[in-house]
Amino acid sequence: MSMRCPNCNSKDIGKIGSHQFYCWGCFIELTVNGEKMSVYQVEEDGTLSSLDDLFFEEIPQEFPHIHASN
């Protein structure tokens, strides 16, 4: 699987679980489930904080005919 980090564009991605990956370039965790990717910052205490709102825009409800392209 060849993937790039959505944050730093690094290919230095390690697999840490069946659907979980870690970027050694910028130290974020990625969860991939089918076509959906979630991005998390690993906090000092080991907890994860979602960064999805920084990377993935939601389609506005008032414009349901507009589809985001990959």
Side-chain angles (χ1 to χ4, degrees), residues 5-31:
C5 175
N7 184 47
C8 70
N9 207 32
S10 171
K11 283 198 229 178
D12 194 9
I13 305 288
K15 188 168 185 172
I16 58 174
S18 60
H19 299 284
Q20 295 172 296
F21 302 87
Y22 187 78
C23 177
W24 291 100
C26 65
F27 315 112
I28 62 172
E29 187 170 313
L30 311 166
T31 301

Side-chain angles (χ1 to χ4, degrees), residues 23-50:
C23 177
W24 291 100
C26 65
F27 315 112
I28 62 172
E29 187 170 313
L30 311 166
T31 301
V32 180
N33 191 357
E35 293 294 315
K36 182 174 175 9
M37 176 185 285
S38 295
V39 182
Y40 301 94
Q41 175 178 327
V42 182
E43 303 293 345
E44 288 182 15
D45 63 359
T47 59
L48 300 177
S49 297
S50 177

